[in-house]
Amino acid sequence: MTKETIYYVDRLGTDSLKWDGQKGVFGEEGLLPLWVADMDFRVPQSVLDAEKEYLETGVFGYYRPGIGYYRAFQAWEKEQHGYEVQREWIRFAPGVVPAINWLVQMFTKPQDAVMALTPVYYPFLHAVRDNGRKLACCELKNEAGRYGVDMEAFEMAIVQNAVKCFILSSPHNPVGRVWSKAELKAMLDVCKAHGVLVISDEIHQDLTFDGHKHIPSALAGDYDDMLITLTAASKTFNLAGCQNAFAVIPDAGLRAVYEGFTARMHIEGGNPFGYIAVEAAYRHGLSWLEEVRDIIWGNYCFVKDAFAAALPGVCISPLEGTYLMWADFGQYLEQEEMAEFFQKKCRLAVDYGAWFEGNALTHARFNLATSRENVEKAVAAIVANLKG
Ligand SMILES: Cc1ncc(COP(=O)(O)O)c(C=O)c1O
């Protein structure tokens, strides 16, 4: 495999949400953005080439993906994760978050309880609340920064709330865990025993580090009739703007419900640019991904070492998966000081722990998929302002 050069792109002024869209959330622009989970790296050359070829046709009419799109996804799942996804199980979604919202609407009723492990990627919480469902949270166990599932609390939360649906983040955003097969099996077995549908969001599946290996929930046991897996090439290859995601639904009954719902909304397919990017990335993007993973891991090690030397009280969760570093500043900051510190003093846009629910009010989440220079600037600002 030939090495691919990774190019950092200065995205300021490109209508990027992360760089140019801070005002809505932070009330101002001009912060160094380590929030929104996309990368500041140019996509693989193969993706650009495929898009250029399509652009040259000069016609952007109605589009239908060829079989190559599905085959590229199937080959990727099989080769990278050992999951043999059958063609008929695959359905389109214009994003994993829209799919989560749809699934909540399809498979639960108003006031039904839907569970998540907190702290968690906050659109899970919004998907439950915004659809008029009851949120049941099961707090993850935090052992010196490494998180785990308290299986007794997990089952109790399901039983006490009569949970109908569980939304799992695997790997888990924001705590960075890559769940082991035993952990997945324990959670899915309890869900199965209590008739709980599991939505397994595996969008970060390809971003694992330090020997950790993602296990698809579908391979942890026999869960085909109660499991829907959502994934995408968008985090892996920095294609989030293309709005192209996969719902993998092995069960024909569940699939029929999905099809009925998407047919009623007439959203059964996406735009050509998404399909073309995804197919090219899965076919030819592996060496790019390997380079990017090295950059992210290097950034993580840099931050860890810098904080260990200058601010040893910052508790950084081990980065097993995702490119999002989760750190607790509770030894230095009160929860009321978080926004003032990061935004006003350090001039950084980060995701605050409070957004993720659970016991995380002095945490912050940092996106490491950027240049070392940006990471160094961020660390320098934090160290200077905490020590100074
Ligand atoms: C766990 C998780 N799910 C879903 C998404 C977003 O998915 P999409 O852009 O496909 O809606 C993200 C983005 O950060 C994420 O971290």
Side-chain angles (χ1 to χ4, degrees), residues 151-377:
M151 283 311 302
E152 237 172 77
F154 184 86
E155 183 154 23
M156 197 157 23
I158 288 180
V159 173
Q160 286 182 345
N161 296 288
V163 165
K164 295 286 184 292
C165 173
F166 167 48
I167 315 174
L168 172 66
S169 179
S170 176
H172 191 103
N173 172 2
V175 306
R177 276 300 316 281
V178 173
W179 303 116
S180 69
K181 188 168 182 184
E183 287 171 311
L184 291 168
K185 186 166 162 31
M187 288 189 271
L188 278 115
D189 281 348
V190 168
C191 289
K192 190 167 180 165
H194 295 286
V196 175
L197 177 84
V198 177
I199 302 171
S200 187
D201 173 348
E202 302 185 14
I203 197 168
H204 293 280
Q205 64 181 4
D206 303 307
L207 295 147
T208 58
F209 303 96
D210 203 22
H212 292 275
K213 178 98 190 71
H214 170 74
I215 313 275
S217 293
L219 298 188
D222 176 16
Y223 306 117
D224 276 1
D225 60 349
M226 48 160 282
L227 173 68
I228 295 177
T229 302
L230 303 175
T231 193
S234 53
K235 295 288 159 217
T236 311
F237 295 107
N238 202 21
L239 306 172
C242 290
Q243 300 188 307
N244 188 293
F246 298 92
V248 179
I249 316 176
D251 183 78
L254 297 178
R255 223 158 47 225
V257 176
Y258 192 91
E259 269 166 14
F261 185 95
T262 52
R264 284 195 299 283
M265 294 211 294
H266 294 270
I267 308 182
E268 292 159 286
N271 66 73
F273 302 100
Y275 289 117
I276 288 164
V278 169
E279 179 174 345
Y282 279 144
R283 279 192 194 289
H284 310 292
L286 185 58
S287 61
W288 181 95
L289 174 62
E290 286 175 351
E291 298 294 318
V292 164
R293 274 195 298 232
D294 285 349
I295 293 174
I296 294 163
W297 182 249
N299 284 346
Y300 169 73
C301 294
F302 170 81
V303 180
K304 236 175 75 130
D305 292 348
F307 281 172
L311 300 169
V314 178
C315 178
I316 298 181
S317 292
L319 189 73
E320 298 179 358
T322 84
Y323 49 72
L324 307 163
M325 191 192 79
W326 184 241
D328 185 5
F329 291 81
Q331 295 250 2
Y332 301 99
L333 296 167
E334 300 294 332
Q335 61 189 67
E336 311 74 47
E337 296 172 316
M338 292 290 286
E340 167 78 16
F341 177 76
F342 283 103
Q343 195 178 325
K344 300 290 175 221
K345 290 199 171 141
C346 300
R347 304 299 295 155
L348 300 176
V350 299
D351 284 46
Y352 297 113
W355 297 352
F356 298 83
E357 205 99 350
N359 188 16
L361 297 174
T362 52
H363 281 76
R365 194 194 75 175
F366 301 84
N367 180 343
L368 298 177
T370 189
S371 65
R372 176 64 63 83
E373 196 187 336
N374 284 340
V375 173
E376 282 176 6
K377 273 190 208 157

Side-chain angles (χ1 to χ4, degrees), residues 47-200:
V47 172
L48 290 176
D49 291 343
E51 294 290 7
K52 280 181 195 156
E53 196 181 322
Y54 182 69
L55 275 177
E56 283 303 319
T57 68
V59 177
F60 310 140
Y62 292 115
Y63 190 85
R64 168 201 64 82
I67 189 68
Y69 164 79
Y70 297 98
R71 291 211 175 120
F73 172 61
Q74 287 170 289
W76 183 268
E77 287 302 305
K78 186 166 172 207
E79 282 155 26
Q80 300 300 315
H81 305 292
Y83 188 16
E84 296 202 35
V85 176
Q86 298 189 19
R87 164 66 191 93
E88 62 269 25
W89 300 351
I90 306 170
R91 292 296 176 275
F92 170 81
V96 166
V97 169
I100 291 172
N101 281 268
W102 289 357
L103 293 171
V104 166
Q105 291 174 35
M106 281 178 224
F107 293 106
T108 65
K109 296 195 291 297
Q111 289 313 315
D112 276 353
V114 178
M115 188 169 87
L117 296 169
T118 51
V120 78
Y121 177 57
Y122 37 89
F124 286 18
L125 310 169
H126 302 161
V128 179
R129 293 188 176 123
D130 293 351
N131 286 298
R133 274 58 172 173
K134 201 174 88 189
L135 179 66
C137 292
C138 174
E139 183 77 15
L140 288 165
K141 279 187 298 192
N142 178 357
E143 285 161 354
R146 188 168 191 269
Y147 287 77
V149 184
D150 175 344
M151 283 311 302
E152 237 172 77
F154 184 86
E155 183 154 23
M156 197 157 23
I158 288 180
V159 173
Q160 286 182 345
N161 296 288
V163 165
K164 295 286 184 292
C165 173
F166 167 48
I167 315 174
L168 172 66
S169 179
S170 176
H172 191 103
N173 172 2
V175 306
R177 276 300 316 281
V178 173
W179 303 116
S180 69
K181 188 168 182 184
E183 287 171 311
L184 291 168
K185 186 166 162 31
M187 288 189 271
L188 278 115
D189 281 348
V190 168
C191 289
K192 190 167 180 165
H194 295 286
V196 175
L197 177 84
V198 177
I199 302 171
S200 187

